[in-house]
Amino acid sequence: MTSNSNSTTNAPRTALVVGASGITGSALVDRLSQDGWEVLALSRRAVTSGTVRGIAADLRDPASLRAALADERPTHVFFTAWQRQATEAENIAVNGAMVRDLLAALDHAPVEHAALVTGLKHYLGPFEAYAAGEMPDTPFREESQRLDTPNFYYAQEDELFAAAAARQQFTWSVHRSHTVIGHAVGNAMNMGLTIAVQATIAKHLGVPFVFPGSAAQWNGLTDMTDAGVLAEQMVWASTEPAGRNEAFNIVNGDIFRWRWMWPRLAEMLGVPAEQVVGFDGQARPLEEQMAQLEQHWPAIAAEHDLVESDISRLASWWHTDADLGREMEVVTDMGKSRAAGFLSFRRTDQAFADLFARYRADRLIP
């Protein structure tokens, strides 16, 4: 995988990573640290490590943000956080306000660029109207018009645009990822670890390792986003002129069918071939599959001396069900950022393999 994060200037840069403990935020902290940036990692619980300085703040509390950031002077902001609410109206209110309040709390800082992660719900619609009604044709392209449906991604974008226009001091970029796989624990959207936990339970109990999704997902083409590639694109857009004031799709660059990928994931995770079951007539959501099986996780964790016995911190059944249960093909066009100069690529099967190896090293799975 090639890096596109070379800067056009040697001026000192300080990055503020918002949501630093999540899948995308963790990958960004790693990428920026490797590239020699000064890194400020904002999350609910400050974690300082090496050259990375942790900042604790509550994104839903403007006073907390003001106090935590009063003495900080980041040049670049990478916003990767969101909080799911019960309704899309609440999602809009809460997540839009988090972007607005964070940028307002930095009105004293020399911010040059602010990057925002959203996702393909920009094209597919929010959870309440997911893949319903008229949507853009695949592959999804950035120039597609917004859907006529309230969407918290649109609210986050609008807060970013408004802050940039009002201050006229910083540029912006938006990064629309597909399902992100990367290293994190306690994350609400973590397909890689979710599948690894499902496979571990299936192998332990000798039960089928069943693909949970739809026929459309099993048979159709799809793509995914490795958190490292997403981090590279965000750093590239924040430092290269071609990335400024643009929205970009971001996926790995390969495409696959789940009927090809599922048995390969099973092999990576040590599930015997005879236990691997693909789509068979109807979707088999993980929330239903695992309802009576997840109780075995504490015993599995104890047997293998794993570091996390609380399965709710590892597996997000509902989110993997949403991704794999879609009744349409989901493929993303990367032409815009390729033409602008971002050329990084990652094979998705290799991304999964590397991720599983890291989870084993961390003793999160056997």
Side-chain angles (χ1 to χ4, degrees), residues 20 35 39 64 122 145 150 167 176 182 199 209 256 261 279 309 319 328 330 336 359-361:
D35 288 353
V39 181
S64 169
H122 184 96
Q145 296 295 312
R167 290 170 60 178
R176 299 172 185 161
F209 177 58
F256 64 91
M261 183 68 79
F279 178 82
S309 61
H319 191 265
M328 63 173 290
V330 179
K336 181 178 178 180
Y359 281 139
R360 287 193 185 97

Side-chain angles (χ1 to χ4, degrees), residues 19 69 91 98 120 123 140 145 194 253 260 292 296 307 322 330 341:
L69 297 172
N91 277 331
M98 290 196 304
L120 295 197
Y123 308 110
F140 295 134
Q145 296 295 312
T194 297
W260 177 88
Q292 300 303 316
H296 296 281
V307 298
V330 179

Side-chain angles (χ1 to χ4, degrees), residues 142-218:
E142 295 91 338
E143 63 266 26
S144 299
Q145 296 295 312
R146 289 180 174 183
L147 302 178
D148 188 21
T149 305
N151 191 318
F152 82 86
Y153 283 163
Y154 304 162
Q156 288 185 307
E157 283 189 349
D158 288 343
E159 294 293 353
L160 175 66
F161 302 156
R167 290 170 60 178
Q168 298 182 332
Q169 295 170 308
F170 66 82
T171 56
W172 56 266
S173 58
V174 175
H175 304 267
R176 299 172 185 161
S177 62
H178 196 171
T179 302
V180 179
I181 53 171
H183 187 274
V185 177
N187 190 273
M189 303 186 296
N190 197 335
M191 180 186 284
L193 189 50
T194 297
I195 290 174
V197 169
Q198 177 197 4
T200 299
I201 293 174
K203 183 169 62 172
H204 179 83
L205 298 177
V207 300
F209 177 58
V210 179
F211 177 75
S214 67
Q217 291 302 302
W218 182 250

Side-chain angles (χ1 to χ4, degrees), residues 112-142:
E112 298 172 15
H113 187 92
L116 170 69
V117 178
T118 62
L120 295 197
K121 287 190 290 295
H122 184 96
Y123 308 110
L124 288 161
F127 290 115
E128 289 180 3
Y130 195 59
E134 187 172 351
M135 289 173 295
D137 198 6
T138 54
F140 295 134
R141 292 180 169 86
E142 295 91 338

